[in-house]
Amino acid sequence: MSGVSAGRGKTQTTKDSASVFLPTGLKVYTALVTLLLGILLFCPLQEIYTEKVNLTMANKAERERTFIMVKPDGVQRGLLGEIVKRFEKKGFKLVAMKFMWADETLLQKHYGDLSSKPFFNGLVKYMRSGPVCPMVWEGLNVVKTGRQMLGETDPANSLPGTIRGDYCIEIGRNICHGSDAVDSAKKEIDLWFTGDELVQWKANEEPWLYE
């Protein structure tokens, strides 16, 4: 009887130990699962956070932007790709682009500083004669360099190697428009594009272009 009692006591002790151990094990298991889930959730969130921080830093250090527009003659002559290629090969980054028919009101605002000129109405009419391709390019000194790449307003005065020097003859068909100053570039960009249409992105080639 004493052996049986002892056995029962031992069994009872084992059960009591198990009842104490089991909750502790569950607590450890729960803690490990929570930790694992936290790690799994934290990694993507950390990546998203890092990406947002990088974009924010990039925006704060945002480089100069310019407004370039291929006119109806440039579009009709199939020169759009060549003009885009030149800016890309130079190292500038495309931020926005549209292919569109510009309405009269938009063009009158765009060329508002020329409204007193005798050729104003003819210019607006011509710019409505076909689709245009407005673009925004970004990079160091892009306004000044972009103008140099386009060449003089009058193709006859444009050097070979410039877009106008290579591809056009007459001032009334000079292929493209480019902002002449940083302030005018901002105004033109705001006129033709909304903030949501300006794409924030980092080009992989940037470390090979800028120190």
Side-chain angles (χ1 to χ4, degrees):
M1 290 296 293
S2 60
V4 173
S5 299
R8 287 179 179 175
K10 185 176 181 181
T11 301
Q12 184 64 37
T13 302
T14 303
K15 289 181 179 179
D16 292 343
S17 299
S19 63
V20 172
F21 175 78
L22 189 57
T24 303
L26 285 173
K27 288 179 182 179
V28 173
Y29 176 79
T30 303
L32 288 174
V33 170
T34 302
L35 177 62
L36 180 60
L37 288 173
I39 293 172
L40 292 174
L41 291 172
F42 176 78
C43 290
L45 289 174
Q46 179 65 21
E47 291 177 3
I48 294 171
Y49 174 78
T50 303
E51 184 177 354
K52 286 185 176 180
V53 168
N54 290 338
L55 281 174
T56 301
M57 293 176 66
N59 291 341
K60 288 181 179 179
E62 188 178 275
R63 294 190 174 92
E64 189 175 281
R65 289 176 174 174
T66 193
F67 177 82
I68 302 292
M69 179 167 58
V70 180
K71 298 178 181 180
D73 53 319
V75 172
Q76 293 289 355
R77 293 178 57 200
L79 295 173
L80 176 57
E82 177 64 27
I83 294 169
V84 170
K85 183 175 76 173
R86 289 199 179 198
F87 276 83
E88 282 189 324
K89 291 183 74 172
K90 178 67 177 177
F92 293 132
K93 183 172 71 174
L94 183 64
V95 175
M97 174 188 281
K98 292 180 181 179
F99 189 68
M100 59 184 288
W101 288 84
D103 62 47
E104 185 174 1
T105 302
L106 178 60
L107 291 168
Q108 287 175 340
K109 289 180 180 178
H110 178 79
Y111 289 111
D113 60 326
L114 301 175
S115 60
S116 62
K117 302 293 183 180
F119 58 80
F120 176 73
N121 290 332
L123 174 60
V124 172
K125 182 179 179 180
Y126 166 66
M127 291 297 293
R128 293 185 62 205
S129 67
V132 296
C133 183
M135 299 175 280
V136 179
W137 291 90
E138 182 180 283
L140 182 65
N141 296 322
V142 68
V143 173
K144 179 181 178 180
T145 306
R147 292 281 291 187
Q148 292 172 339
M149 291 170 64
L150 295 183
E152 299 295 327
T153 303
D154 187 347
N157 298 326
S158 297
L159 295 174
T162 63
I163 292 171
R164 289 171 178 152
D166 288 349
Y167 297 116
C168 52
I169 299 172
E170 191 175 2
I171 191 171
R173 299 291 184 270
N174 64 1
I175 294 180
C176 47
H177 164 86
S179 300
D180 58 4
V182 175
D183 289 343
S184 60
K186 187 179 185 309
K187 291 177 182 177
E188 291 171 345
I189 291 170
D190 290 343
L191 178 63
W192 288 82
F193 293 92
T194 66
D196 292 339
E197 292 173 325
L198 303 176
V199 180
Q200 303 284 352
W201 65 290
K202 181 175 176 61
N204 292 330
E205 65 180 8
E206 282 194 11
W208 306 103
L209 291 168
Y210 303 102
E211 293 182 338

